[in-house]
Amino acid sequence: MIPKIEMAPPDEIREFQQKELTRTLFYVAQNSPYYSRLFSEKNIDVKSIRSLEDLHKLPFTTKADIQQFNDDFLCVPSNKIIDYATTSGTLGDPVTFGQTDADLDRLAYNEAISFDCAGIKEGDVVQLMTTIDRRFMAGLAYFLGLRKMKVGVIRVGAGIPELQWDSIRKYRPTHLITVPSFLLKLIEYAEAHGIDYKNSGIKGAVCIGEALRNQDFSDSTLSRKIAEKWDIKLYSTYASTEMSTAFTECEHAIGGHHHPELIIVETIGDDDKPVPEGQPGELVITTLGVEGMPLVRFKTGDIVQIHREPCNCGRNTLRVGPVLGRKQQMIKYKGTTLYPPAMTDVLNGFGNIEAHIIEISTNDLGTDEIIIKLAVKEQSEEFLREIKDHFRAKLRVTPKIEFTTKETLAPIINNPMSRKPVTFFDYR
Protein backbone atom coordinates (compact mmCIF):
# COMPACT_ATOMS: atom_id res chain seq x y z
CA MET A 1 0.00 0.00 0.00
CA ILE A 2 2.93 2.36 -0.62
CA PRO A 3 1.56 5.45 -2.43
CA LYS A 4 3.04 5.85 -5.92
CA ILE A 5 4.40 9.32 -5.18
CA GLU A 6 6.53 7.89 -2.35
CA MET A 7 8.25 5.52 -4.77
CA ALA A 8 8.71 8.14 -7.47
CA PRO A 9 12.15 9.57 -8.34
CA PRO A 10 13.20 12.52 -6.12
CA ASP A 11 12.77 15.02 -8.98
CA GLU A 12 9.19 13.88 -9.50
CA ILE A 13 8.46 14.14 -5.76
CA ARG A 14 9.91 17.64 -5.77
CA GLU A 15 7.81 18.76 -8.76
CA PHE A 16 4.70 17.31 -7.13
CA GLN A 17 5.37 19.18 -3.88
CA GLN A 18 5.92 22.47 -5.68
CA LYS A 19 2.49 22.17 -7.34
CA GLU A 20 0.88 21.33 -4.00
CA LEU A 21 2.67 24.25 -2.35
CA THR A 22 1.26 26.64 -4.96
CA ARG A 23 -2.23 25.28 -4.34
CA THR A 24 -1.83 25.62 -0.57
CA LEU A 25 -0.56 29.21 -0.72
CA PHE A 26 -3.44 30.33 -2.93
CA TYR A 27 -5.86 28.60 -0.57
CA VAL A 28 -4.58 30.27 2.62
CA ALA A 29 -4.25 33.67 0.92
CA GLN A 30 -7.94 33.50 0.02
CA ASN A 31 -9.38 31.75 3.08
CA SER A 32 -7.17 32.32 6.15
CA PRO A 33 -7.68 35.71 7.84
CA TYR A 34 -4.26 35.31 9.45
CA TYR A 35 -2.25 34.52 6.31
CA SER A 36 -4.25 36.94 4.16
CA ARG A 37 -3.37 39.73 6.58
CA LEU A 38 0.24 38.59 6.94
CA PHE A 39 0.87 38.38 3.20
CA SER A 40 -0.66 41.83 2.73
CA GLU A 41 1.45 43.38 5.53
CA LYS A 42 4.65 41.79 4.20
CA ASN A 43 3.81 42.60 0.54
CA ILE A 44 4.04 38.93 -0.39
CA ASP A 45 2.61 37.88 -3.73
CA VAL A 46 2.05 34.12 -3.52
CA LYS A 47 2.48 33.90 -7.30
CA SER A 48 6.18 34.64 -6.74
CA ILE A 49 6.61 31.40 -4.74
CA ARG A 50 7.31 28.93 -7.53
CA SER A 51 9.75 26.45 -5.94
CA LEU A 52 10.59 24.90 -2.61
CA GLU A 53 13.64 27.19 -2.46
CA ASP A 54 11.28 30.18 -2.61
CA LEU A 55 9.86 29.19 0.77
CA HIS A 56 12.49 31.39 2.42
CA LYS A 57 10.56 34.42 1.10
CA LEU A 58 7.72 33.53 3.47
CA PRO A 59 7.75 34.33 7.21
CA PHE A 60 7.65 31.56 9.78
CA THR A 61 4.57 30.66 11.78
CA THR A 62 5.17 30.05 15.50
CA LYS A 63 3.19 28.47 18.32
CA ALA A 64 2.86 31.98 19.80
CA ASP A 65 1.22 33.19 16.55
CA ILE A 66 -1.38 30.42 16.74
CA GLN A 67 -1.99 31.05 20.44
CA GLN A 68 -2.50 34.77 19.84
CA PHE A 69 -4.59 34.52 16.67
CA ASN A 70 -6.04 31.02 16.99
CA ASP A 71 -9.40 31.68 15.30
CA ASP A 72 -7.82 33.67 12.47
CA PHE A 73 -6.08 30.54 11.21
CA LEU A 74 -9.40 28.86 10.43
CA CYS A 75 -10.11 28.75 6.71
CA VAL A 76 -13.71 27.52 6.90
CA PRO A 77 -16.89 28.67 8.66
CA SER A 78 -17.51 27.07 12.05
CA ASN A 79 -20.39 24.94 10.75
CA LYS A 80 -17.85 23.04 8.62
CA ILE A 81 -15.86 21.93 11.69
CA ILE A 82 -16.55 18.29 12.56
CA ASP A 83 -13.91 17.79 15.27
CA TYR A 84 -12.05 20.05 17.67
CA ALA A 85 -8.54 18.95 18.67
CA THR A 86 -6.11 20.72 20.95
CA THR A 87 -2.37 20.44 21.33
CA SER A 88 -1.07 18.93 24.54
CA GLY A 89 0.41 22.24 25.68
CA THR A 90 3.90 20.82 26.30
CA LEU A 91 5.34 24.31 25.97
CA GLY A 92 2.77 26.99 26.72
CA ASP A 93 -1.02 27.09 26.44
CA PRO A 94 -2.80 24.55 24.22
CA VAL A 95 -4.24 25.73 20.93
CA THR A 96 -7.35 24.47 19.16
CA PHE A 97 -7.42 22.94 15.68
CA GLY A 98 -10.76 22.69 13.92
CA GLN A 99 -10.98 19.75 11.52
CA THR A 100 -13.41 19.35 8.65
CA ASP A 101 -14.79 16.11 7.27
CA ALA A 102 -12.09 16.22 4.59
CA ASP A 103 -9.42 16.75 7.26
CA LEU A 104 -10.56 13.61 9.08
CA ASP A 105 -10.34 11.69 5.80
CA ARG A 106 -6.81 13.04 5.33
CA LEU A 107 -5.95 12.05 8.90
CA ALA A 108 -7.23 8.52 8.28
CA TYR A 109 -5.18 8.26 5.08
CA ASN A 110 -2.07 9.50 6.88
CA GLU A 111 -2.34 6.91 9.64
CA ALA A 112 -3.28 4.12 7.24
CA ILE A 113 -0.13 4.54 5.16
CA SER A 114 1.90 5.05 8.35
CA PHE A 115 0.63 1.85 9.99
CA ASP A 116 1.17 0.00 6.73
CA CYS A 117 4.76 1.25 6.88
CA ALA A 118 4.97 -0.35 10.34
CA GLY A 119 3.79 -3.71 9.07
CA ILE A 120 0.12 -3.60 10.12
CA LYS A 121 -2.16 -5.14 7.48
CA GLU A 122 -5.84 -5.83 6.86
CA GLY A 123 -6.96 -8.64 9.12
CA ASP A 124 -4.73 -7.63 12.04
CA VAL A 125 -6.14 -6.56 15.40
CA VAL A 126 -4.61 -3.56 17.21
CA GLN A 127 -4.91 -2.64 20.87
CA LEU A 128 -5.01 1.13 21.27
CA MET A 129 -3.27 2.08 24.52
CA THR A 130 -3.59 5.85 24.12
CA THR A 131 -6.53 8.07 24.94
CA ILE A 132 -9.06 8.85 22.23
CA ASP A 133 -10.81 11.52 24.31
CA ARG A 134 -9.74 14.90 25.85
CA ARG A 135 -9.64 16.48 22.37
CA PHE A 136 -6.57 14.34 21.60
CA MET A 137 -5.94 14.24 17.84
CA ALA A 138 -3.59 11.25 17.82
CA GLY A 139 -5.97 8.76 19.44
CA LEU A 140 -8.72 9.69 17.00
CA ALA A 141 -6.27 9.57 14.08
CA TYR A 142 -5.11 6.07 15.05
CA PHE A 143 -8.70 4.83 15.20
CA LEU A 144 -9.64 6.39 11.86
CA GLY A 145 -6.53 5.05 10.14
CA LEU A 146 -7.02 1.51 11.42
CA ARG A 147 -10.70 1.58 10.46
CA LYS A 148 -9.74 2.67 6.94
CA MET A 149 -7.36 -0.30 6.76
CA LYS A 150 -10.13 -2.70 7.87
CA VAL A 151 -8.10 -3.52 10.97
CA GLY A 152 -9.81 -4.45 14.24
CA VAL A 153 -9.35 -1.95 17.09
CA ILE A 154 -9.50 -2.57 20.84
CA ARG A 155 -9.89 0.85 22.47
CA VAL A 156 -8.51 0.25 25.95
CA GLY A 157 -6.87 3.63 26.51
CA ALA A 158 -3.81 4.42 28.60
CA GLY A 159 -2.52 2.66 31.71
CA ILE A 160 -4.01 -0.14 33.88
CA PRO A 161 -1.85 -3.21 33.05
CA GLU A 162 -4.51 -5.57 34.43
CA LEU A 163 -7.11 -4.29 31.97
CA GLN A 164 -4.60 -4.33 29.11
CA TRP A 165 -3.74 -7.99 29.72
CA ASP A 166 -7.40 -8.89 30.11
CA SER A 167 -8.05 -7.45 26.63
CA ILE A 168 -4.93 -9.03 25.12
CA ARG A 169 -5.90 -12.49 26.35
CA LYS A 170 -9.53 -12.08 25.32
CA TYR A 171 -9.17 -10.47 21.86
CA ARG A 172 -5.66 -11.64 20.84
CA PRO A 173 -4.40 -8.41 19.17
CA THR A 174 -1.41 -8.67 16.85
CA HIS A 175 -0.10 -5.16 17.50
CA LEU A 176 -0.11 -2.51 20.22
CA ILE A 177 -0.01 1.29 20.02
CA THR A 178 1.60 2.60 23.17
CA VAL A 179 4.24 4.64 24.95
CA PRO A 180 7.23 2.25 24.92
CA SER A 181 8.06 2.56 28.63
CA PHE A 182 4.56 1.19 29.34
CA LEU A 183 5.61 -2.05 27.65
CA LEU A 184 8.05 -2.56 30.55
CA LYS A 185 5.16 -2.14 32.99
CA LEU A 186 3.15 -4.73 31.01
CA ILE A 187 6.07 -7.14 31.17
CA GLU A 188 6.54 -6.52 34.90
CA TYR A 189 2.82 -7.14 35.56
CA ALA A 190 2.82 -10.29 33.40
CA GLU A 191 5.83 -11.73 35.21
CA ALA A 192 4.30 -10.97 38.61
CA HIS A 193 1.00 -12.63 37.69
CA GLY A 194 2.20 -15.63 35.72
CA ILE A 195 1.05 -14.39 32.31
CA ASP A 196 2.82 -16.06 29.37
CA TYR A 197 3.36 -12.76 27.54
CA LYS A 198 5.88 -14.25 25.11
CA ASN A 199 3.13 -16.40 23.61
CA SER A 200 0.40 -13.76 23.70
CA GLY A 201 0.24 -13.37 19.92
CA ILE A 202 1.68 -9.82 19.93
CA LYS A 203 3.93 -9.34 16.89
CA GLY A 204 4.76 -5.66 17.13
CA ALA A 205 4.18 -2.30 18.77
CA VAL A 206 3.93 1.18 17.28
CA CYS A 207 5.56 3.42 19.87
CA ILE A 208 4.90 7.09 20.56
CA GLY A 209 6.34 9.79 22.79
CA GLU A 210 9.72 8.24 23.68
CA ALA A 211 12.84 7.52 21.64
CA LEU A 212 13.44 3.97 20.41
CA ARG A 213 16.62 4.89 18.53
CA ASN A 214 19.79 6.85 19.05
CA GLN A 215 20.90 9.37 16.43
CA ASP A 216 22.82 6.63 14.57
CA PHE A 217 19.65 4.46 14.61
CA SER A 218 21.09 2.01 17.11
CA ASP A 219 18.57 0.95 19.75
CA SER A 220 18.08 3.28 22.70
CA THR A 221 18.46 1.99 26.23
CA LEU A 222 14.68 1.78 26.50
CA SER A 223 14.19 -0.34 23.37
CA ARG A 224 17.08 -2.61 24.38
CA LYS A 225 15.47 -3.24 27.76
CA ILE A 226 12.19 -4.16 26.07
CA ALA A 227 13.93 -6.41 23.51
CA GLU A 228 15.78 -8.29 26.26
CA LYS A 229 12.43 -9.36 27.69
CA TRP A 230 9.99 -9.49 24.79
CA ASP A 231 10.81 -10.45 21.19
CA ILE A 232 8.39 -8.15 19.39
CA LYS A 233 9.10 -5.64 16.62
CA LEU A 234 9.12 -2.03 17.77
CA TYR A 235 8.29 0.80 15.34
CA SER A 236 8.78 4.46 16.16
CA THR A 237 6.27 7.06 14.98
CA TYR A 238 6.59 10.84 15.31
CA ALA A 239 3.83 13.39 14.78
CA SER A 240 2.14 16.45 16.27
CA THR A 241 -1.29 18.05 16.20
CA GLU A 242 0.06 20.97 14.16
CA MET A 243 1.48 18.65 11.48
CA SER A 244 -1.60 16.40 11.19
CA THR A 245 0.93 14.01 9.65
CA ALA A 246 3.05 11.15 10.98
CA PHE A 247 6.61 10.05 10.23
CA THR A 248 6.74 6.30 10.90
CA GLU A 249 9.56 3.77 10.61
CA CYS A 250 9.43 0.86 8.22
CA GLU A 251 10.97 -2.51 9.09
CA HIS A 252 14.47 -1.16 8.43
CA ALA A 253 14.22 1.31 11.37
CA ILE A 254 16.29 4.12 9.85
CA GLY A 255 13.98 7.06 10.41
CA GLY A 256 10.35 8.00 9.99
CA HIS A 257 9.27 8.11 6.33
CA HIS A 258 8.05 11.39 4.89
CA HIS A 259 4.69 11.50 3.10
CA PRO A 260 5.29 14.17 0.43
CA GLU A 261 1.62 14.30 -0.51
CA LEU A 262 0.81 15.54 3.00
CA ILE A 263 3.61 17.81 4.19
CA ILE A 264 6.68 19.85 3.18
CA VAL A 265 9.63 19.77 5.57
CA GLU A 266 12.62 22.03 6.17
CA THR A 267 15.32 22.06 8.84
CA ILE A 268 16.76 25.39 9.98
CA GLY A 269 19.51 26.57 12.32
CA ASP A 270 19.54 29.30 14.95
CA ASP A 271 19.96 31.83 12.14
CA ASP A 272 16.67 30.65 10.59
CA LYS A 273 18.53 29.46 7.49
CA PRO A 274 18.64 25.89 6.13
CA VAL A 275 21.17 23.69 7.93
CA PRO A 276 23.83 21.89 5.86
CA GLU A 277 23.05 18.36 4.69
CA GLY A 278 23.57 15.85 7.48
CA GLN A 279 23.26 18.39 10.30
CA PRO A 280 20.43 18.57 12.87
CA GLY A 281 18.13 21.55 12.84
CA GLU A 282 14.69 22.71 13.88
CA LEU A 283 11.95 21.02 11.87
CA VAL A 284 9.73 23.46 9.96
CA ILE A 285 6.60 22.15 8.23
CA THR A 286 4.03 23.29 5.70
CA THR A 287 0.90 21.17 5.64
CA LEU A 288 -0.61 20.09 2.32
CA GLY A 289 -4.27 19.22 1.79
CA VAL A 290 -5.50 20.53 5.14
CA GLU A 291 -8.83 22.33 4.82
CA GLY A 292 -9.59 23.65 8.31
CA MET A 293 -6.30 25.04 9.67
CA PRO A 294 -3.39 24.67 7.24
CA LEU A 295 -0.03 25.99 8.41
CA VAL A 296 2.75 27.58 6.36
CA ARG A 297 6.36 27.29 7.57
CA PHE A 298 5.40 26.33 11.12
CA LYS A 299 8.34 26.04 13.52
CA THR A 300 7.78 22.79 15.42
CA GLY A 301 10.52 23.41 17.99
CA ASP A 302 11.78 19.84 17.47
CA ILE A 303 15.47 19.35 16.65
CA VAL A 304 15.90 16.54 14.11
CA GLN A 305 18.20 15.38 11.34
CA ILE A 306 16.92 14.67 7.83
CA HIS A 307 18.20 11.54 6.04
CA ARG A 308 18.02 11.14 2.28
CA GLU A 309 19.87 7.87 1.58
CA PRO A 310 17.72 5.27 -0.24
CA CYS A 311 15.75 2.86 1.95
CA ASN A 312 15.43 -0.81 1.03
CA CYS A 313 11.67 -0.68 1.57
CA GLY A 314 11.30 0.98 -1.86
CA ARG A 315 10.25 4.43 -0.68
CA ASN A 316 12.27 7.31 -2.13
CA THR A 317 11.14 9.82 0.47
CA LEU A 318 13.38 11.55 2.96
CA ARG A 319 13.32 10.31 6.55
CA VAL A 320 13.19 12.16 9.85
CA GLY A 321 15.63 10.88 12.47
CA PRO A 322 14.92 10.61 16.22
CA VAL A 323 14.04 13.88 17.91
CA LEU A 324 17.18 15.16 19.57
CA GLY A 325 15.13 17.46 21.81
CA ARG A 326 12.91 20.53 21.88
CA LYS A 327 14.64 23.77 20.93
CA GLN A 328 13.09 25.55 23.93
CA GLN A 329 14.32 22.74 26.21
CA MET A 330 17.98 23.05 25.26
CA ILE A 331 20.12 23.20 28.39
CA LYS A 332 23.56 24.78 28.71
CA TYR A 333 25.19 23.06 31.66
CA LYS A 334 28.82 23.50 32.62
CA GLY A 335 29.74 24.28 29.01
CA THR A 336 27.83 21.30 27.58
CA THR A 337 24.63 21.45 25.52
CA LEU A 338 22.05 18.92 26.70
CA TYR A 339 18.49 17.92 25.87
CA PRO A 340 16.17 16.02 28.26
CA PRO A 341 15.93 12.85 26.08
CA ALA A 342 19.68 12.26 26.48
CA MET A 343 19.38 12.38 30.27
CA THR A 344 16.33 10.13 30.21
CA ASP A 345 18.23 7.57 28.15
CA VAL A 346 20.98 7.43 30.79
CA LEU A 347 18.40 6.92 33.54
CA ASN A 348 16.61 4.19 31.57
CA GLY A 349 19.74 2.08 31.86
CA PHE A 350 19.20 1.49 35.59
CA GLY A 351 16.73 -1.15 36.68
CA ASN A 352 16.92 0.19 40.25
CA ILE A 353 15.19 3.43 39.18
CA GLU A 354 11.39 3.24 39.48
CA ALA A 355 10.55 6.82 38.47
CA HIS A 356 12.25 10.14 37.81
CA ILE A 357 11.66 13.79 37.06
CA ILE A 358 14.12 16.33 35.63
CA GLU A 359 13.87 19.93 36.82
CA ILE A 360 15.65 22.84 35.15
CA SER A 361 15.96 26.26 36.77
CA THR A 362 18.17 29.36 36.66
CA ASN A 363 20.66 29.70 39.50
CA ASP A 364 22.01 32.85 41.20
CA LEU A 365 24.68 33.16 38.49
CA GLY A 366 22.04 33.24 35.75
CA THR A 367 23.06 29.83 34.34
CA ASP A 368 21.07 26.60 33.96
CA GLU A 369 20.79 24.30 36.96
CA ILE A 370 19.67 20.65 36.71
CA ILE A 371 18.12 18.61 39.53
CA ILE A 372 17.10 15.01 38.89
CA LYS A 373 14.76 13.49 41.47
CA LEU A 374 14.79 9.69 41.59
CA ALA A 375 12.56 7.09 43.17
CA VAL A 376 14.65 3.93 43.50
CA LYS A 377 14.14 0.44 44.88
CA GLU A 378 17.28 0.63 47.02
CA GLN A 379 19.09 3.83 48.02
CA SER A 380 22.83 3.83 48.58
CA GLU A 381 25.83 6.10 48.17
CA GLU A 382 27.33 3.47 45.90
CA PHE A 383 24.34 3.60 43.55
CA LEU A 384 24.45 7.41 43.55
CA ARG A 385 28.12 7.31 42.53
CA GLU A 386 27.32 4.80 39.78
CA ILE A 387 24.65 7.08 38.31
CA LYS A 388 26.97 10.08 38.41
CA ASP A 389 29.75 8.08 36.74
CA HIS A 390 27.38 7.09 33.94
CA PHE A 391 26.32 10.70 33.37
CA ARG A 392 29.97 11.75 33.28
CA ALA A 393 30.83 8.99 30.79
CA LYS A 394 27.80 9.50 28.51
CA LEU A 395 27.19 13.26 28.69
CA ARG A 396 30.46 14.62 30.17
CA VAL A 397 28.62 16.34 33.04
CA THR A 398 26.91 15.25 36.26
CA PRO A 399 23.69 16.97 37.33
CA LYS A 400 22.55 17.26 40.94
CA ILE A 401 20.66 14.10 41.96
CA GLU A 402 18.20 13.71 44.83
CA PHE A 403 16.48 10.57 46.07
CA THR A 404 12.76 10.71 46.82
CA THR A 405 9.85 8.24 46.85
CA LYS A 406 7.68 6.73 44.13
CA GLU A 407 4.61 8.00 46.02
CA THR A 408 5.95 11.56 45.84
CA LEU A 409 6.71 11.45 42.10
CA ALA A 410 3.67 9.51 40.85
CA PRO A 411 1.09 12.36 41.11
CA ILE A 412 3.58 14.80 39.57
CA ILE A 413 4.35 12.55 36.61
CA ASN A 414 0.77 11.36 36.08
CA ASN A 415 -1.04 14.68 36.39
CA PRO A 416 -4.75 14.04 35.56
CA MET A 417 -4.78 17.27 33.53
CA SER A 418 -2.10 15.88 31.19
CA ARG A 419 -2.64 13.29 28.46
CA LYS A 420 0.74 11.70 28.92
CA PRO A 421 3.32 11.22 31.68
CA VAL A 422 5.38 14.37 32.31
CA THR A 423 8.94 13.95 33.58
CA PHE A 424 10.54 17.24 32.49
CA PHE A 425 9.85 20.56 34.21
CA ASP A 426 11.44 23.79 33.00
CA TYR A 427 11.33 26.60 35.58
CA ARG A 428 13.72 28.97 33.81
Side-chain angles (χ1 to χ4, degrees):
M1 189 180 153
I2 303 177
K4 286 184 179 179
I5 189 60
E6 299 186 19
M7 300 179 72
D11 287 349
E12 191 174 320
I13 292 175
R14 175 188 173 77
E15 185 179 346
F16 171 86
Q17 286 218 300
Q18 288 175 169
K19 288 179 180 177
E20 291 302 307
L21 173 62
T22 299
R23 186 176 288 115
T24 295
L25 292 178
F26 272 99
Y27 179 77
V28 298
Q30 292 173 354
N31 297 286
S32 165
Y34 177 81
Y35 285 115
S36 177
R37 183 171 66 245
L38 180 68
F39 293 166
S40 176
E41 290 172 355
K42 301 288 186 181
N43 294 316
I44 294 170
D45 180 1
V46 294
K47 293 177 184 175
S48 68
I49 313 299
R50 297 193 178 95
S51 69
L52 299 183
E53 283 75 23
D54 287 339
L55 276 168
H56 77 272
K57 299 177 182 177
L58 301 172
F60 294 104
T61 302
T62 66
K63 184 73 167 278
D65 294 329
I66 308 176
Q67 286 170 332
Q68 187 176 358
F69 304 106
N70 202 167
D71 291 346
D72 286 351
F73 280 86
L74 267 178
C75 291
V76 296
S78 59
N79 66 340
K80 293 287 187 182
I81 300 301
I82 301 297
D83 179 77
Y84 291 88
T86 56
T87 60
S88 58
T90 304
L91 297 169
D93 296 329
V95 297
T96 298
F97 281 77
Q99 301 182 93
T100 68
D101 207 36
D103 290 335
L104 295 183
D105 287 342
R106 178 190 177 281
L107 212 53
Y109 168 81
N110 160 71
E111 292 299 344
I113 58 176
S114 296
F115 288 143
D116 182 83
C117 200
I120 298 174
K121 306 296 179 186
E122 181 178 344
D124 282 330
V125 177
V126 175
Q127 187 147 314
L128 186 53
M129 297 181 173
T130 64
T131 183
I132 200 169
D133 56 8
R134 301 190 193 180
R135 305 191 303 270
F136 190 36
M137 181 188 281
L140 175 64
Y142 301 150
F143 175 77
L144 294 174
L146 294 167
R147 179 175 180 267
K148 183 178 179 66
M149 299 173 76
K150 297 182 172 61
V151 166
V153 186
I154 310 163
R155 293 179 292 108
V156 181
I160 320 177
E162 182 180 2
L163 180 58
Q164 302 291 353
W165 278 117
D166 179 65
S167 293
I168 290 170
R169 288 186 290 184
K170 187 172 184 178
Y171 303 112
R172 303 289 292 181
T174 54
H175 295 78
L176 311 174
I177 300 176
T178 183
V179 175
S181 58
F182 187 66
L183 291 174
L184 292 175
K185 289 185 170 61
L186 281 183
I187 294 168
E188 184 180 342
Y189 184 91
E191 290 178 338
H193 293 81
I195 297 172
D196 186 9
Y197 62 92
K198 293 182 180 178
N199 291 303
S200 60
I202 303 296
K203 296 189 294 187
V206 177
C207 297
I208 64 170
E210 296 168 336
L212 291 179
R213 318 285 172 222
N214 298 315
Q215 291 301 308
D216 62 358
F217 299 121
S218 60
D219 288 342
S220 68
T221 303
L222 178 58
S223 59
R224 286 200 307 272
K225 289 178 74 172
I226 296 167
E228 287 168 5
K229 291 279 191 175
W230 202 357
D231 185 22
I232 60 175
K233 184 74 174 173
L234 302 179
Y235 296 88
S236 178
T237 186
Y238 159 66
S240 71
T241 302
E242 294 90 351
M243 295 193 296
S244 300
T245 310
F247 296 84
T248 305
E249 289 180 336
C250 68
E251 68 272 20
H252 300 289
I254 52 173
H257 279 282
H258 172 222
H259 303 309
E261 65 272 45
L262 298 178
I263 198 166
I264 293 171
V265 300
E266 308 169 67
T267 44
I268 61 168
D270 291 336
D271 59 359
D272 286 342
K273 294 180 180 177
V275 295
E277 193 77 24
Q279 294 295 313
E282 181 179 4
L283 183 69
V284 174
I285 60 96
T286 298
T287 55
L288 302 175
V290 173
E291 190 175 53
M293 275 184 65
L295 296 179
V296 176
R297 299 201 85 199
F298 173 73
K299 285 184 166 186
T300 65
D302 291 329
I303 307 299
V304 302
Q305 184 175 330
I306 299 298
H307 299 265
R308 300 181 187 274
E309 308 85 2
C311 181
N312 290 332
C313 72
R315 293 172 179 84
N316 286 327
T317 53
L318 59 82
R319 299 180 310 286
V320 174
V323 175
L324 190 61
R326 300 278 293 171
K327 185 176 181 181
Q328 295 93 323
Q329 292 177 347
M330 186 179 78
I331 305 156
K332 285 285 190 180
Y333 188 66
K334 298 179 181 178
T336 298
T337 298
L338 296 174
Y339 290 98
M343 291 185 281
T344 298
D345 193 58
V346 173
L347 297 171
N348 282 338
F350 294 94
N352 190 31
I353 297 176
E354 296 182 295
H356 77 271
I357 62 172
I358 301 169
E359 296 181 339
I360 311 298
S361 59
T362 304
N363 60 26
D364 295 339
L365 300 175
T367 59
D368 292 343
E369 193 67 50
I370 306 172
I371 297 178
I372 297 178
K373 296 180 180 179
L374 300 178
V376 299
K377 297 172 185 174
E378 295 182 19
Q379 292 185 23
S380 70
E381 285 299 316
E382 183 182 352
F383 182 59
L384 182 60
R385 280 196 301 272
E386 186 182 355
I387 295 171
K388 289 184 175 182
D389 287 345
H390 269 72
F391 267 98
R392 208 170 286 114
K394 297 273 188 179
L395 303 178
R396 301 195 302 275
V397 291
T398 303
K400 183 178 179 182
I401 295 171
E402 296 179 358
F403 287 132
T404 184
T405 65
K406 193 175 181 180
E407 290 72 25
T408 301
L409 294 186
I412 300 171
I413 295 170
N414 302 302
N415 187 324
M417 297 305 292
S418 176
R419 296 169 180 155
K420 48 195 174 185
V422 180
T423 58
F424 178 74
F425 298 87
D426 195 338
Y427 301 118
R428 291 175 292 185

